[in-house]
Structure formats: C-alpha cells, structure tokens
Amino acid sequence: SQQGEEDPQALSIQEGENATMNCSYKTSINNLQWYRQNSGRGLVHLILIRSNEREKHSGRLRVTLDTSKKSSSLLITASRAADTASYFCATDAAGTYKYIFGTGTRLKVLA
Amino acid sequence: ETGVTQTPRHLVMGMTNKKSLKCEQHLGHNAMYWYKQSAKKPLELMFVYNFKEQTENNSVPSRFSPECPNSSHLFLHLHTLQPEDSALYLCASSQEDMGTGTEAFFGQGTRLTVV
C-alpha cells in the first residue's frame, strides 16, 4: 500500500504568498524526504528530515515532521513563479530499504 | 544537471519491438534505481541495484529486464511491451541504498510510448 500521500493534490497561489503542502504516511519511518519535479522531468532532492528531527530549514523551505501524527509539511515562503512544479514526499518504512513516493502536490505560482 | 544521464529522452516502440533504456552516473554512487511514473499514480519503484547486485525487484513483469554491468551504468531492456507500459521511466542513484537516509539523484527520464 502507498506509504506517503500528499495533500492537497493541487495548489494555486499568487507570487509572494506562502505555500504549504502536507504528507501523511502509514507506518513508522526512518527518514522522510521532499523532492521537486518540473513538468515531465526528473526529481530534484530538496530536503531530508530524520525521524528524530522535528523541523528543518533550507533557504525558503521549512519542513516539519510529526511522528505521532505520521505527517510532514513543506512550507515554501515568499513563493516565486519558478517554484511552479510538483512536490513529492518519499518515506521509508522502518526495517525496509526502499523509498516510496506519493502522488505529489502540483503547485502553480501565478505571477 | 544532476550527474545522472538517461538516454534516449523519448522513445516510441511497437509492442513487438525490443529496445533498451540507458542510465549513466559518474557520481561514484553505489546504488542505482529504476522508477516508473504514470499519470496520476505514485512513482513506482521497479528495481534496485546495490554494488551491482540486484537487491529489489518490485514484482515487475518479466518483459522488463534490468542489467547493471558496472556501478556507473544501468540498463532497462524492454520487449513485447503493452500500451499500459507507456510512462516516464526514471533512473536514480544514491551514495548508499536510499533506505539508509541519503538523497537520490534522478535523471531527466525517458518518455516511453508503446503503440
């Protein structure tokens, strides 16, 4: 069954606004990663958060992890048109050695 | 440019054809992966190679056959495919197996259309 599931499926915002997308998963994890994909291209790694971490920052990105709720959120602050892409979370179930991706959130930032 | 190169970028093949997808990385990574991305479906992990040994075959039909001749190259051999196999095929590599907590570097993908 699918491990990571993003919400919302699609998000449209104005440039300068913040964008928040969520990921929920079902079983305990070792790590959770967020990736970005521009239309029809490969995925680019954004940030990795370990199960013993609660929050991480990277530039305009802020990721939180709540293992009690089995959920993570990705916040992009002061969004730009160039942030338009699909965003995926990838989780690994504890005791396994493979990452499972969700269906992604399609973000559109309007100039 | 992620350091992972896939060729070809686009491929159209008939159901009776045999073709191969190629992936190459010069990042010194030990693990390589094939993923399939279909419209409105999650990325599906197909195969994992660690130090040239296949460590994962995620119930992939035998019409997909991977090959890893060395730690820098990964192939996906295709034969007698079905139209539902049309998808974006993504190759990725990582320093260790992704399950140990390292990031994956993805190629640009091969857009496969089976007619």
Side-chain angles (χ1 to χ4, degrees):
Chain A
S1 63
Q2 190 172 320
Q3 173 72 324
E5 196 160 329
E6 291 88 346
D7 167 65
Q9 290 188 354
L11 180 61
S12 187
I13 59 173
Q14 293 293 129
E15 203 166 30
E17 293 180 339
N18 295 341
T20 300
M21 48 207 94
N22 305 294
C23 170
S24 59
Y25 56 92
K26 296 176 181 173
T27 60
S28 61
I29 62 171
N30 294 323
N31 308 285
L32 184 145
Q33 300 188 35
W34 284 92
Y35 287 81
R36 165 199 166 121
Q37 182 182 35
N38 286 56
S39 180
R41 309 193 71 176
L43 280 73
V44 176
H45 180 263
L46 295 176
I47 200 163
L48 179 153
I49 187 165
R50 303 192 187 280
S51 59
N52 62 353
E53 297 176 311
R54 292 297 166 258
E55 188 171 314
K56 276 188 97 166
H57 296 256
S58 177
R60 293 184 295 113
L61 306 180
R62 174 180 167 246
V63 169
T64 62
L65 179 64
D66 188 334
T67 52
S68 66
K69 294 181 179 177
K70 293 186 171 58
S71 68
S72 173
S73 68
L74 170 67
L75 168 69
I76 304 174
T77 59
S79 63
R80 304 167 182 166
D83 294 328
T84 295
S86 291
Y87 293 82
F88 296 86
C89 70
T91 56
D92 65 324
T96 70
Y97 291 93
K98 56 185 182 182
Y99 274 82
I100 305 298
F101 287 80
T103 51
T105 292
R106 294 187 309 282
L107 173 66
K108 188 169 186 178
V109 181
L110 304 169
Chain B
E1 182 59 55
T2 63
V4 179
T5 303
Q6 288 187 244
T7 54
R9 291 294 307 277
H10 301 273
L11 178 62
V12 179
M13 60 186 287
M15 288 190 283
T16 58
N17 291 161
K18 288 184 181 181
K19 295 286 184 183
S20 296
L21 310 185
K22 180 182 176 182
C23 177
E24 187 173 354
Q25 58 93 5
H26 295 290
L27 302 168
H29 289 169
N30 299 318
M32 296 187 77
Y33 313 80
W34 281 116
Y35 281 87
K36 174 184 177 183
Q37 187 177 33
S38 306
K40 299 183 179 176
K41 291 175 74 174
L43 266 76
E44 299 173 51
L45 178 64
M46 300 175 73
F47 301 104
V48 180
Y49 277 81
N50 224 348
F51 291 95
K52 301 187 297 178
E53 298 297 321
Q54 188 180 122
T55 58
E56 186 80 28
N57 177 338
N58 207 23
S59 302
V60 181
S62 59
R63 56 186 185 270
F64 295 91
S65 174
E67 179 190 1
C68 188
N70 55 61
S71 57
S72 299
H73 293 86
L74 185 65
F75 294 90
L76 188 62
H77 304 299
L78 316 170
H79 65 97
T80 58
L81 294 192
Q82 305 297 313
E84 59 265 28
D85 296 322
S86 298
L88 182 68
Y89 288 84
L90 292 163
C91 171
S93 70
S94 66
Q95 182 60 44
E96 306 280 342
D97 189 301
M98 281 175 75
T100 59
T102 56
E103 67 178 278
F105 291 76
F106 281 80
Q108 296 298 309
T110 295
R111 173 68 63 185
L112 174 67
T113 304
V114 181
V115 298

